[in-house]
Structure formats: structure tokens, C-alpha cells
Amino acid sequence: MRILVVGAGATGGYFGAMLARAGQDVTFLVRPARAEALRRRGLRVVGRDEEWRVDPVLLTAEELAAAPAPYDLVLLSVKATALAAATEDLAPAVGPDTAIVPQLNGFAHLDALTARFGAGRVLGGVSKVVTTLDDEGDIRRLAPLAHLTLGEPDGTLSPRVEAIRKVLVEAGIDARVPENVLTAMWHKWVFIATFGALTSLMRGTVGDVNAQPGGTELATGLLDEASAVAAAAGHPVPEAERRTSLDVVTAAGSPMVPSLYRDLAAGRSTEVEHLFGDLTDRARALGVPTPLLDLATLHLRIHQARVAPGGR
């Protein structure tokens, strides 16, 4: 199976490195500066008492466009802010039998990818991995959680999904095919929206927020709002999963923050429209009140207007 990993950041880089280490036919589509760094240093995974590297096969968009060739599988792992550019960059790699597995949060990307490549080429996907890029550009694992979920949007168990899952599992990746991948995507969205809104609104870690009066109540309220939107959309969050999410966002002393918060704190663009604008729009269409999520959306939009004027 010929695999193209679009983006060699903390998420795509980790799963792509696992595939490359297992001997799979993997190519990374990266920006020129990232390509230069990876050719010099290799793609390294560090942390949690492990350190290993692979020497990845790399392509830039210009190189792919000069020699277009279809891939069997595209693992798309970029920020939502880079989705439009990445979609055009990877287009020369998409043939009639290519399967695209996006690893973005939310749902807006499914509409965009389907409009560009057709519904038959786009699968649902959810990744859960606690990694970050450190100052050296290495992928640093921060927790043991690391699994990838995929499936057909219509819920069928297709031969191509099973073939992809088999390749991932053989590479040591915890790959899962749920009964309904859209439900899995909604549940991840509920968690990441709660986590992102809590830390971004309060400008602190989970532990910082919960150490103050009202912090735990805010976390609970955000989770309740996001869960209500999912339920109205036909994907209610089971109580056990809700409790697990609540435990994470109310953990005393927790140093955890999402990548959204790190982007906000560093003065970078955020995925506000993809993660929050779309969610609150759906809430309004479904008649679900979300005053706390609306506040988080407004807060992040003001930041976005400062760092990327006119770039909503």
C-alpha cells in the first residue's frame, strides 16, 4: 500500500513514523523548510523513555505536482488553518481508488474534502495522541494514549477500511473501526471543544482553572453545552465517556493544555472557526443554547482578528 502522510507534525508525523519504521511504503508531503530539517536531522520520536528515528521519504508540493502519482492512502494531518492549501497540494496524489483519512477535529473538513475529491474518496477519522513538536522539531510523546479511528461515513465495514486497519495494526498502531465513525468524531469534538474553550477562556492549564472558585463549574458547563449539541445532532455522548472527559477537564493540578491554547498563547492563528464557529452554528440550527461556547468563540475570534486581519 502506497501511503502519503500530509504533514509531519506532532500527529501525522507520529503515525507516519510508526508506519515508516515498520517498513511500509510511506512518503511525507511537507513544506520546504520542514523537508530541509527532516533531511538533516531525521524524523525523531522522543519522550516516555523512548528515542528513535526514521529517515523519511519526503516530497514538497512542487515536487509532487511535477510528477503526480496516485497513492492508495492519504493520511491528512494538518491544522484547519492549513486545510485549503494542503488540499490543493495533495491533489496530484489522488487517483480513482485513493482513500483519504483526515485526522482533523470537527466536521467542516469533511465537507471541504468531499467537495474537492468526491464522497467516495473521503473517510471519517479520529486520532487521539498526546504529542507535541519540541524546539528541535522532534515529536515528543507526553502520555501513553495513541490510537487512530477510521471508518466509512455511511457506517459500512468496507474492504478498504479493513485493509487500511490491517496495515496500521501491523505497524504497531492501535487502529480501530467503530460502529459509526461520525459518532466517534462528534464525541472527540465535544471533548476538544470543552478542553479548548476552558483553557483558552481562562488562559491557564486545567489545574490552574480548577484551583479557582468556579473553575470546575465552568468546565462542567462547557461539557454540558457541547454534549447537548452532539445529542441534538443524533450522537449523544454515553455517560461513561462523559465522565471520563469530565475527569480530564476537572483534574486538580493537571498541567494539560491543548494545542489550541498553545497557539493562542504564542500569538498564532487558531482553529476557531473550524472548532468553535462551526459548532456554535450547528447549535443554533439545532436550537441548542450555548452561551459559554459562544463566549469562547467570541474570545478566540477577537484574537484571530488581531493575528490574521481579514482571515476568518
Side-chain angles (χ1 to χ4, degrees):
M1 182 178 290
R2 298 187 71 232
I3 303 169
L4 183 70
V5 177
V6 182
T11 298
Y14 175 75
F15 289 118
M18 291 283 288
L19 288 161
R21 185 169 69 161
Q24 291 293 333
D25 183 359
V26 180
T27 300
F28 292 83
L29 181 62
V30 293
R31 298 295 183 194
R34 182 66 168 150
E36 181 182 348
L38 290 172
R39 289 187 177 114
R40 182 180 68 252
R41 184 172 174 79
L43 181 56
R44 297 170 182 258
V45 177
V46 300
R48 296 197 58 79
D49 298 322
E50 65 176 319
E51 181 169 349
W52 51 274
R53 64 171 279 175
V54 295
D55 293 309
V57 178
L58 305 170
L59 278 178
T60 63
E62 183 176 299
E63 291 166 341
L64 179 60
Y71 284 75
D72 301 304
L73 171 63
V74 174
L75 293 179
L76 176 59
S77 180
V78 296
K79 295 280 190 181
T81 50
L83 177 63
T87 298
E88 294 310 311
D89 289 348
L90 70 88
V94 178
D97 299 317
T98 301
I100 302 170
V101 179
Q103 297 171 265
L104 290 79
N105 296 310
F107 272 84
H109 60 280
L110 288 188
D111 295 336
L113 291 169
T114 297
R116 180 65 176 81
F117 300 114
R121 295 188 180 93
V122 183
L123 302 179
V126 178
S127 63
K128 293 184 179 181
V129 58
V130 188
T131 52
T132 188
L133 285 186
D134 65 19
D135 292 341
E136 299 293 333
D138 298 339
I139 298 165
R140 184 167 294 278
R141 292 193 68 193
L142 304 176
L145 178 68
H147 64 78
L148 198 159
T149 299
L150 71 153
E152 299 285 354
D154 65 5
T156 59
L157 182 58
S158 66
R160 67 173 176 173
V161 165
E162 182 53 33
I164 295 168
R165 189 197 70 83
K166 184 173 183 291
V167 167
L168 295 171
V169 169
E170 288 175 349
I173 296 170
D174 181 0
R176 307 174 182 185
V177 179
E179 184 176 335
N180 187 324
V181 74
L182 299 186
T183 295
M185 291 173 64
W186 264 104
H187 293 176
K188 172 73 181 298
W189 197 6
V190 166
F191 171 73
I192 205 68
T194 301
F195 189 21
L198 179 71
T199 54
S200 297
L201 270 176
M202 297 297 103
R203 294 298 184 106
T205 67
V206 166
D208 292 337
V209 177
N210 284 279
Q212 301 304 321
T216 299
E217 289 77 10
L218 175 61
T220 304
L222 286 164
L223 181 60
D224 287 346
E225 286 188 5
S227 297
V229 182
H235 303 275
V237 180
E239 180 55 33
E241 187 167 345
R242 181 188 178 280
R243 173 52 57 184
T244 298
S245 295
L246 188 61
D247 287 346
V248 173
V249 297
T250 61
S254 171
M256 288 184 62
V257 293
S259 61
L260 178 96
Y261 173 85
R262 289 193 289 269
D263 288 338
L264 178 67
R268 296 188 291 260
S269 289
T270 72
E271 297 177 297
V272 53
E273 295 305 327
H274 195 83
L275 291 179
F276 293 97
D278 189 32
L279 183 61
T280 54
D281 284 349
R282 291 172 191 257
R284 281 189 287 275
L286 293 165
V288 178
T290 54
L292 295 175
L293 289 170
D294 290 345
L295 182 61
T297 304
L298 176 60
H299 178 68
L300 288 165
R301 279 176 171 163
I302 291 170
H303 166 82
Q304 191 68 16
R306 288 173 178 158
V307 300
R312 267 190 62 184

